[in-house]
Amino acid sequence: MYIQQFNNLKENIYEIVFFFLLTFSKNKNYDILNKQKRGIDMSLKAGIIGLPNVGKSTLFNAITNQHILAENYPFATIEPNVGVVNVPDDRINHLVAMYQPARIIPTSYEFTDIAGLVRGASQGEGLGNKFLSHIREVDAICEVVRCFQGDNIIHVDGAVDPIRDIETINLELMLADLEVVQSRLEKISKKARTTKNKDDLIEVEALEKAKQALETNQPLRLVNFNEDEQQKLKSYNFLTLKPLIYLANIDEDSIGYDNELVVRVKEYALQENTPVVVLCAKIEEELSELNETDRQEMLDALNIPSSGLDMLIQATYELLGLATYFTVGSDEVRAWTFKKGMNAKKCAGIIHSDFEKGFIKAEVISYEDLMTYGSELKVKEAGKVRIEGKDYIMQDGDICHFRFNVK
């Protein structure tokens, strides 16, 4: 897994890539470096949450190798720590071996270690208000659940009970959403029914449905909202509408099997169709300290096919409905994240808005065909290069050369 901090380098990367494009553009006045024209922001943010002392900061250390504060007392993390990790993808390694590019840019994922919360966070207990404001900014929630015993690590509620912990956090998120729903209904409900405005009535109906669910302890992600209602609710950034993954944090002795606590978490998650990733944050932190060879040796010794962090990233990608396409060449091999179902024109816009605006066509090679035939030339000779128009639905692993023209 590549691990980098891209935030400080992002501007430099854009300058290099787009200087190349500017140099070869037909229109020398082309304002390719205009920040307002840059591509669709597909950067992804996942928030790591959980009660104090469940292993959040240890897991974050493993993700970013930053060695942030991970102490054995509540609220060791107060401000959120942010780190960017490259998404593991063997395909980019094979493409790099084939093209020997000057630059390699894998797709990345941002993780935020959000301060621990306690019962009553929705009412401001502990670090409640800060916690809730930070979590609203993420695309997906990774909820760390303690699935190991140990008197040497304090549990904020005393005894270890993963279901109680899950329900504590989920309740606080639902209460926070309910407060927003009630406040908004008070403002627009009477007006909507008086004016009979169609959009306002749809919003009220969606909020009423949300209120009924939250008052019966049902998170909004489990509610069957229609498309119009989903659009109306999107701007509220509801916490319980966000995709969720439970991270069952085990100890070293439980590697290789599901202990009793993990079984309980999986049974609970199955009822709400929520994915579970089982990992040992302590082992993940140790793995992050090793080079690739030693890391693989440790995984083999533990009889683990892949690290928990790799499984977490892949599970989050699946949860969010994401996929990857590639641009390749001797100058750069780069992976781009897109939402499944996006067409070629929209995907071109991820690189730069002018790619979308002036889209002509896309030359597409599947990754599998490139690996089978061994070079672009041989793929062309085999008739496997496709010319696709703007409505082509991009597929995971597509290798694209976009043709565009901006006057």
Side-chain angles (χ1 to χ4, degrees):
M1 181 191 301
Y2 300 99
I3 298 180
Q4 288 179 291
Q5 294 293 327
F6 281 120
N7 288 340
N8 295 333
L9 297 177
K10 190 178 292 183
E11 293 302 314
N12 291 336
I13 290 170
Y14 272 118
E15 298 300 318
I16 293 169
V17 173
F18 292 125
F19 176 77
F20 175 83
L21 293 171
L22 177 61
T23 302
F24 292 94
S25 172
K26 294 180 180 178
N27 184 353
K28 295 303 180 182
N29 295 319
Y30 185 32
D31 187 19
I32 195 99
L33 296 180
N34 185 335
K35 292 183 180 181
Q36 293 180 345
K37 292 185 177 181
R38 287 183 180 165
I40 301 168
D41 183 9
M42 291 296 293
S43 58
L44 304 165
K45 299 179 182 179
I48 303 175
I49 70 169
L51 294 175
N53 303 333
V54 297
K56 289 189 307 87
S57 294
T58 300
L59 179 61
F60 185 83
N61 282 339
I63 291 171
T64 62
N65 208 10
Q66 285 191 354
H67 302 291
I68 62 168
L69 185 65
E71 298 295 336
N72 181 25
Y73 55 86
F75 313 131
T77 309
I78 297 177
E79 294 299 330
N81 298 284
V82 179
V84 178
V85 59
N86 289 343
V87 175
D89 193 332
D90 285 339
R91 295 175 299 183
I92 201 168
N93 297 328
H94 295 303
L95 293 172
V96 167
M98 181 177 293
Y99 287 91
Q100 298 293 308
R103 291 182 303 278
I104 307 163
I105 307 179
T107 189
S108 60
Y109 206 111
E110 182 177 297
F111 282 93
T112 303
D113 177 25
I114 301 175
L117 80 164
V118 293
R119 188 174 288 105
S122 60
Q123 305 301 316
E125 293 293 326
L127 300 172
N129 293 329
K130 278 193 173 184
F131 169 88
L132 296 171
S133 65
H134 292 147
I135 197 174
R136 289 192 191 280
E137 301 171 4
V138 304
D139 300 300
I141 298 173
C142 302
E143 186 174 328
V144 182
V145 183
R146 178 171 171 174
C147 290
F148 63 90
Q149 301 289 349
D151 296 334
N152 59 321
I153 299 179
I154 303 166
H155 191 287
V156 69
D157 285 330
V160 176
D161 184 343
I163 305 306
R164 178 201 59 211
D165 294 353
I166 287 173
E167 291 180 343
T168 294
I169 290 181
N170 291 353
L171 177 61
E172 295 305 323
L173 301 184
M174 286 187 285
L175 288 174
D177 282 349
L178 182 59
E179 183 179 354
V180 173
V181 169
Q182 290 173 329
S183 176
R184 181 60 178 164
L185 279 173
E186 288 176 3
K187 292 180 180 179
I188 70 165
S189 182
K190 184 176 180 180
K191 174 187 172 184
R193 290 185 170 87
T194 300
T195 62
K196 305 295 184 183
N197 180 277
K198 182 180 178 181
D199 286 342
D200 288 345
L201 287 172
I202 292 173
E203 183 176 357
V204 168
E205 185 176 343
L207 290 170
E208 290 285 5
K209 188 184 291 188
K211 180 174 180 289
Q212 182 178 2
L214 293 168
E215 288 178 338
T216 55
N217 291 331
Q218 184 181 18
L220 298 183
R221 64 181 173 275
L222 302 182
V223 179
N224 185 25
F225 295 107
N226 63 39
E227 189 173 338
D228 289 338
E229 292 169 340
Q230 291 175 25
Q231 287 299 318
K232 288 297 179 183
L233 296 179
K234 188 178 294 185
S235 63
Y236 291 102
N237 220 6
F238 286 123
L239 304 179
T240 63
L241 261 181
K242 295 181 183 294
L244 175 70
I245 293 178
Y246 292 125
L247 303 183
N249 185 20
I250 60 175
D251 56 17
E252 296 92 328
D253 294 336
S254 297
I255 292 175
Y257 77 100
D258 289 346
N259 65 34
E260 179 188 354
L261 299 176
V262 171
V263 170
R264 292 177 62 196
V265 170
K266 285 188 172 181
E267 289 174 348
Y268 183 93
L270 185 62
Q271 297 174 19
E272 56 180 42
N273 198 30
T274 300
V276 178
V277 173
V278 180
L279 52 74
C280 174
K282 193 65 179 174
I283 290 295
E284 298 297 326
E285 189 175 30
E286 292 177 19
L287 286 169
S288 72
E289 303 280 352
L290 304 176
N291 61 39
E292 189 60 34
T293 301
D294 292 342
R295 181 173 176 271
Q296 189 57 53
E297 287 181 359
M298 184 173 178
L299 287 171
D300 292 341
L302 293 169
N303 197 27
I304 301 174
S306 62
S307 76
L309 298 181
D310 288 357
M311 290 190 292
L312 168 59
I313 293 170
Q314 294 301 331
T316 310
Y317 254 56
E318 286 294 321
L319 187 65
L320 294 173
L322 304 175
T324 303
Y325 75 85
F326 302 95
T327 52
V328 297
S330 59
D331 60 323
E332 176 184 280
V333 167
R334 181 163 185 167
W336 303 86
T337 299
F338 68 97
K339 192 89 171 174
K340 291 178 181 177
M342 288 179 68
N343 62 33
K345 185 176 180 180
K346 285 291 184 184
C347 284
I350 294 171
I351 299 176
H352 193 275
S353 61
D354 280 345
F355 281 36
E356 180 179 359
K357 181 180 178 182
F359 181 91
I360 299 173
K361 62 182 178 180
E363 295 180 7
V364 182
I365 299 173
S366 75
Y367 171 82
E368 290 76 14
D369 284 342
L370 184 59
M371 292 299 106
T372 298
Y373 292 97
S375 71
E376 285 190 40
L377 177 60
K378 290 182 179 179
V379 173
K380 289 179 181 178
E381 290 174 349
K384 294 292 186 178
V385 177
R386 308 191 311 274
I387 304 301
E388 302 288 1
K390 63 181 181 180
D391 294 326
Y392 167 69
I393 301 301
M394 293 282 283
Q395 301 298 309
D396 184 56
D398 278 348
I399 298 167
C400 300
H401 295 281
F402 292 110
R403 304 285 180 169
F404 72 103
N405 182 42
V406 178
K407 296 181 181 179

